[in-house]
Amino acid sequence: MERLEEGHEGIQCLSVDLLSNILARLPVRLLGQLMSVSKPWLALISDPHFRKLHRYRAIKSPKLLIVKQATPTDRISSDWGPLHRSLHMYTMDVSNKDVCGTYYTKGITGRHYNGFYMFPSTNLVCYRNGVWEYVCNLVTKEVSSLPRSSFRSRRGRVCGYILATNEYKIVSFFDPDMDLYHPKGGGKLGCEILTLRDGGPVPCSWRQVEDLPQLAALMCRSSAQVNGSMYMIFYRGNTILSFELENEKFKNLGYPQDGHTRHRAGNEENVILAELEGFLCLGYYWKQFSVMTISMLADLEREIWVKKYSISLYEIGKEIMILGLSYLPLTNENGEILIKLFGSRAVLYNIKDKSFRRVGDPSFVYDHYNYEKFDLYFERFFILGKQ
Amino acid sequence: MEKQQTPFGFHKLIFILLILLSVSMSALGRDILSDIIELKIESHIASGGNFDSVTVELPNLTGKTLAKVIEYCKKHEESSEKTGELSEKWDGEFIGGVEVGMLMDLFLAGYELKIKGLNDLAASRIGGMMLGKTPEEIRVIFDIKEDPLCKKSKSPKEGERFARDNPWAFQ
């Protein structure tokens, strides 16, 4: 092993600033272990200023996260679906194009496939294991159980992150009118919130929100966070719903005013929301032309949308469904758009070269029991804590 | 009396600086040293000192380290003139072949001389050397002599408290 030879300044002679410059580049899990190197290191890594520095640095270098659900073939029981599943989470460095090794594996028991949420750009994954729901912080590999909601109807969940306070807010939509006598519900939305604070504990109940605007809509279909607000679109919703994370205020926002999107956005499956380069964007996939157009909200106050990109997806395939978009900066002028597709596929689109490259395991066979999901991952210093 | 001497002292200083600069700038190929000297004089004046007693502390660099710094600066100036892009491959090879002690020196030199690229490069490399290592290995590599904080240390209570406060670090 290499070691420090005599006559050089050792790492313990470095000032706090210089040492933080080195340590702020390291992954959170490793920093957890490095806390036991020495007392000054423990003091530095526990310091709120250092953690803040680490968080701000992490924003600039997103990685690609791949979560793969796999079911061993002998575990599949024909009638009820798999009882045992495992989630494998990988991260991929976008710049050097290498897939890092297995990052984390978690075994799950249960029949519910639909209780799985991967919140865009948050590092949080929610899943059901038996009757309980859990949240997993992929950065620290902590798992904590979530409180049970008093409402059974699920109308989608979104999760946003507040950088200033290092908090996550999970917003869960439900239908308040759905009960035994009205199994389809009344088509209205209610919402409850769970705030996850750095260091925990996870609250033991959801907090219901009163002043949600009257919205006759079904399931939340796509969401994106831009700065301090979440934006969501719903099936049958006529507007985009925005939610300010810090003061918890809801607002309505109009769709872009070009005829096609405006009239069909509420019903079409081909519309998605995304945050690209710090702006709210709305992608529309024109199936008949295999083209996706992306409009950008240039002015939030005056609701001015401008056409930003037009991406030909002809070479990716005709029968595709786009689930989401994310932006990965490469350099100051160039970046890649991660296009998440239905059916365990994702491609990276280079804005400058207009070229595609596939991500994920090419030999992976997608079916009912095995799938891959893609997202962005940030090494964010957030400690989940226990309930 | 002292006040009258100030202009003379100042000129003498500038003269020395000019010689220093002409020597070092030709070697370094950019005015890093002038930056650092200017900064030091400014901070000296700001703190209320007079010109007579300005002592410019140049960073404590060995000849070997300085040679490396110059190699880095020359390469980066060349490549920025030619293509406008810095070769990451060259950086990787440059920093990859350096042993730990020199790496620390380069990191400090980059910081002292305000060569951000070199500072970042060395910091990334030092960070990279910590990846996948246990705390004990890191203590050996970087020759850290301070008390370790673990359960076997002199104060087991402290270690236990640390493990209790930070359960995520041990999962």
Side-chain angles (χ1 to χ4, degrees):
Chain A
M1 198 195 301
E2 282 187 278
R3 52 167 78 207
L4 189 73
E5 57 276 23
E6 304 251 325
H8 289 283
E9 288 219 48
I11 206 159
Q12 56 184 340
C13 304
L14 294 180
S15 67
V16 174
D17 279 352
L18 289 175
L19 188 60
S20 1
N21 186 357
I22 296 174
L23 296 186
R25 293 156 198 269
L26 297 176
V28 174
R29 287 272 298 167
L30 178 63
L31 288 173
Q33 293 167 11
L34 293 188
M35 282 166 122
S36 60
V37 163
S38 72
K39 279 181 202 166
W41 283 41
L42 170 67
L44 175 65
I45 297 168
S46 315
D47 185 28
H49 290 289
F50 171 75
R51 295 194 175 184
K52 201 171 168 186
L53 176 76
H54 194 279
R55 282 199 296 277
Y56 276 84
R57 190 181 272 275
I59 311 172
K60 292 174 198 153
S61 51
K63 287 185 180 132
L64 197 64
L65 173 70
I66 303 167
V67 177
K68 183 154 116 182
Q69 178 183 291
T71 309
T73 41
D74 58 321
R75 296 286 191 175
I76 298 173
S77 58
S78 54
D79 296 336
W80 294 92
L83 270 171
H84 294 273
R85 300 175 276 156
S86 53
L87 295 176
H88 304 280
M89 294 139 200
Y90 307 78
T91 54
M92 192 172 124
D93 220 323
V94 193
S95 51
N96 61 20
K97 297 165 194 178
D98 289 332
V99 177
C100 308
T102 301
Y103 179 71
Y104 182 43
T105 301
K106 178 89 197 150
I108 297 176
T109 310
R111 289 184 168 123
H112 304 263
Y113 319 96
N114 49 3
F116 180 76
Y117 292 94
M118 199 159 129
F119 300 118
S121 310
T122 59
N123 311 324
L124 293 186
V125 167
C126 276
Y127 59 85
R128 263 174 186 277
N129 191 359
V131 292
W132 289 99
E133 241 189 311
Y134 294 88
V135 58
C136 173
N137 180 0
L138 297 176
V139 177
T140 56
K141 301 187 188 177
E142 292 168 287
V143 175
S144 177
S145 57
L146 283 180
R148 294 180 91 153
S149 165
S150 39
F151 296 91
R152 290 190 58 217
S153 60
R154 289 284 173 73
R155 292 293 181 258
R157 268 184 191 174
V158 296
C159 179
Y161 175 68
I162 309 170
L163 182 65
T165 49
N166 199 18
E167 280 177 353
Y168 286 108
K169 276 187 184 169
I170 304 181
V171 183
S172 177
F173 294 97
F174 58 86
D175 189 330
D177 298 331
M178 193 185 103
D179 53 29
L180 264 171
Y181 307 104
H182 304 91
K184 283 187 178 171
K188 277 183 190 154
L189 278 186
C191 135
E192 49 188 5
I193 296 176
L194 193 74
T195 308
L196 303 172
R197 290 190 175 84
D198 185 23
V202 177
C204 42
S205 63
W206 292 80
R207 184 162 42 86
Q208 211 172 321
V209 175
E210 302 298 336
D211 59 342
L212 183 76
Q214 282 290 321
L215 199 69
L218 292 172
M219 205 79 176
C220 173
R221 197 178 65 219
S222 176
S223 70
Q225 181 179 352
V226 183
N227 300 323
S229 294
M230 294 296 303
Y231 297 87
M232 295 143 268
I233 49 177
F234 293 83
Y235 285 108
R236 278 205 221 148
N238 299 319
T239 52
I240 300 170
L241 187 66
S242 81
F243 173 67
E244 275 179 51
L245 283 162
E246 218 151 344
N247 53 26
E248 303 192 352
K249 286 227 167 74
F250 283 96
K251 255 189 222 161
N252 281 319
L253 179 73
Y255 278 111
Q257 287 297 309
D258 62 85
H260 195 84
T261 338
R262 189 187 51 197
H263 287 114
R264 302 179 71 174
N267 298 317
E268 288 265 358
E269 289 186 332
N270 301 337
V271 185
I272 39 120
L273 283 181
E275 185 256 23
L276 301 178
E277 299 165 87
F279 290 94
L280 179 69
C281 288
L282 186 131
Y284 185 88
Y285 179 58
W286 303 72
K287 218 167 193 168
Q288 65 270 43
F289 306 118
S290 293
V291 166
M292 179 169 58
T293 51
I294 298 175
S295 311
M296 192 179 84
L297 182 65
D299 190 327
L300 177 63
E301 293 300 316
R302 289 184 287 165
E303 296 188 10
I304 296 173
W305 294 82
V306 289
K307 282 259 164 61
K308 183 79 179 166
Y309 300 112
S310 175
I311 303 172
S312 170
L313 292 164
Y314 192 72
E315 57 181 287
I316 303 303
K318 208 162 166 60
E319 292 299 313
I320 55 173
M321 193 171 131
I322 294 162
L323 299 179
L325 302 173
S326 303
Y327 183 73
L328 286 149
L330 291 176
T331 57
N332 283 337
E333 299 91 43
N334 196 13
E336 284 178 310
I337 298 177
L338 173 72
I339 306 173
K340 293 170 249 183
L341 302 165
F342 184 74
S344 294
R345 287 190 300 153
V347 287
L348 282 166
Y349 172 76
N350 191 304
I351 292 172
K352 213 174 181 180
D353 305 347
K354 303 198 169 170
S355 61
F356 293 97
R357 63 188 166 102
R358 282 176 192 273
V359 288
D361 181 3
S363 63
F364 188 78
V365 184
Y366 160 78
D367 60 26
H368 204 52
Y369 306 114
N370 301 287
Y371 58 77
E372 280 185 317
K373 288 194 172 194
F374 304 87
D375 212 327
L376 291 196
Y377 171 85
F378 298 85
E379 266 297 331
R380 190 176 281 152
F381 221 126
F382 177 85
I383 312 298
L384 186 60
K386 291 277 165 201
Q387 195 178 355
Chain B
M1 283 296 282
E2 277 180 2
K3 276 181 187 173
Q4 282 175 345
Q5 281 174 359
T6 307
F8 174 66
F10 182 64
H11 286 298
K12 195 169 76 177
L13 175 83
I14 296 295
F15 181 63
I16 296 168
L17 287 188
L18 279 174
I19 296 172
L20 241 174
L21 285 179
S22 59
V23 173
S24 54
M25 274 170 74
S26 60
L28 285 175
R30 53 196 273 187
D31 44 3
I32 302 149
L33 279 173
S34 72
D35 278 354
I36 188 168
I37 289 166
E38 252 171 47
L39 270 169
K40 295 228 162 158
I41 293 176
E42 271 168 23
S43 66
H44 180 78
I45 296 168
S47 61
N50 62 31
F51 286 118
D52 265 349
S53 57
V54 176
T55 47
V56 177
E57 281 178 41
L58 287 172
N60 188 16
L61 298 176
T62 59
K64 221 173 143 191
T65 314
L66 194 62
K68 271 282 192 190
V69 174
I70 291 167
E71 188 189 341
Y72 175 88
C73 290
K74 270 189 175 166
K75 179 73 192 177
H76 274 241
E77 202 182 27
E78 274 172 28
S79 56
S80 62
E81 271 172 12
K82 274 182 198 161
T83 57
E85 279 175 26
L86 301 177
S87 85
E88 280 176 25
K89 202 181 158 206
W90 188 88
D91 276 0
E93 282 165 10
F94 172 79
I95 207 75
V98 162
E99 78 275 22
V100 190
M102 172 69 87
L103 198 56
M104 295 300 296
D105 286 353
L106 284 176
F107 173 67
L108 282 169
Y111 174 74
E112 293 272 350
L113 297 172
K114 310 230 177 312
I115 312 172
K116 196 173 177 301
L118 182 63
N119 188 234
D120 275 349
L121 187 63
S124 299
R125 173 73 185 138
I126 297 170
M129 289 175 81
M130 295 180 186
L131 289 177
K133 302 274 195 328
T134 63
E136 205 39 56
E137 283 169 334
I138 286 170
R139 289 173 57 80
V140 174
I141 296 171
F142 294 100
D143 193 29
I144 297 170
K145 292 194 182 74
E146 289 138 350
D147 279 345
L149 206 104
C150 61
K151 284 180 182 173
K152 287 170 195 161
S153 71
K154 285 171 203 164
S155 52
K157 271 185 190 168
E158 210 166 47
E160 275 168 29
R161 202 179 67 213
F162 164 70
R164 202 184 56 224
D165 290 348
N166 303 288
W168 60 273
F170 293 91
Q171 273 170 2

